[in-house]
Amino acid sequence: MLATSALALGAGTAAAQDQAYDWSGAYVGVQAGYAVGQSLYTNTDFPTEYVNYDPDGFFGGVYAGYNFQMSNNVVLGVDGDLNFTGIKGTNDYWWVGGIPVPTASAEIKYTAALRARLGYAVGRFLPYVAGGLSAAKYDFDFVRDSTGFVYYEESKSMVGWNVGLGAEYAATDNLVLRAEYRYSDYGSKSFAQPDFFSIDDANITLSSHDFRLGVAYKF
């Protein structure tokens, strides 16, 4: 009888603690993940001259934000992050006439995002959706010969949007675990490409799918 009462009391206390957990407050954390990118460079004056860089790789960084939990358990928040990456890609550069020439390469140096979040608290569990602005520093080059000579290279700041969904779990009152999928479209850039015989117009696009894990301290 006493044991049964103790177990019931313990279960009730745990349930009450979960129910009483408040997601409101600021947090800072670290994260890591893997991204699969899509990136097409095109000489718009000669569309058959192009390269698919399609970089992929690991990244890691920091994130921070603030949540406000309403009385109906809806959680509103703002979240920002900064990541340094090893997201790289190499491929053939296709010349006019469908002729492949030596390797072209690209690398995302860093990414950043600022997002709004909407979630629904289920005790210590918080599923959410998020979206907002994305930015990336993107370096790319093409046409290397056997000596490693780079004929052309660019470094562009790309700005676009992102959308994602994820879930958080408050392992303790202060330690919050996160798992998230995110799609980021960093937009496109148009620019002038010095070619061998003229100045051509060119365009590059960049987007990525990524999965990330994080752990944060909630104040």
Side-chain angles (χ1 to χ4, degrees), residues 46-154:
F46 300 95
T48 56
E49 187 178 320
Y50 72 94
V51 58
N52 284 301
Y53 290 107
D54 294 350
D56 61 2
F58 291 96
F59 63 88
V62 296
Y63 64 98
Y66 187 89
N67 291 320
F68 175 73
Q69 181 172 339
M70 297 189 292
S71 58
N72 59 359
N73 292 333
V74 170
V75 177
L76 304 177
V78 60
D79 186 276
D81 62 69
L82 175 65
N83 300 280
F84 294 93
T85 90
I87 304 172
K88 301 178 181 181
T90 59
N91 211 335
D92 287 334
Y93 184 87
W94 292 87
W95 202 252
V96 175
I99 303 171
V101 294
T103 303
S105 63
E107 180 179 6
I108 301 175
K109 306 296 286 187
Y110 63 81
T111 66
L114 179 63
R115 310 177 302 151
R117 296 205 308 164
L118 172 64
Y120 185 81
V122 184
R124 291 180 175 270
F125 182 66
L126 178 67
Y128 66 86
V129 294
L133 298 175
S134 286
K137 187 68 171 180
Y138 194 36
D139 294 352
F140 52 94
D141 58 51
F142 60 81
V143 192
R144 297 176 182 267
D145 63 19
S146 58
T147 68
F149 180 75
V150 178
Y151 288 95
Y152 181 67
E153 59 185 357
E154 283 280 354

Side-chain angles (χ1 to χ4, degrees), residues 3 14 17 27 45 63 67 69 97 111-112 116 140 160 172-173 178 205:
Q17 287 176 344
Y27 57 87
D45 287 345
Y63 64 98
N67 291 320
Q69 181 172 339
T111 66
F140 52 94
T172 71
D173 286 351
R178 173 186 290 190
T205 63

Side-chain angles (χ1 to χ4, degrees), residues 171-219:
T172 71
D173 286 351
N174 301 109
L175 189 66
V176 179
L177 309 178
R178 173 186 290 190
E180 181 183 291
Y181 162 78
R182 187 185 305 182
Y183 173 75
S184 300
D185 187 328
Y186 297 100
S188 64
K189 281 282 187 180
S190 298
F191 52 94
Q193 170 202 317
D195 214 335
F196 291 105
F197 305 108
S198 64
I199 302 296
D200 294 338
D201 293 322
N203 184 78
I204 194 163
T205 63
L206 178 63
S207 62
S208 72
H209 300 268
D210 66 71
F211 182 77
R212 56 188 68 201
L213 298 174
V215 58
Y217 182 87
K218 176 179 173 291
F219 296 95

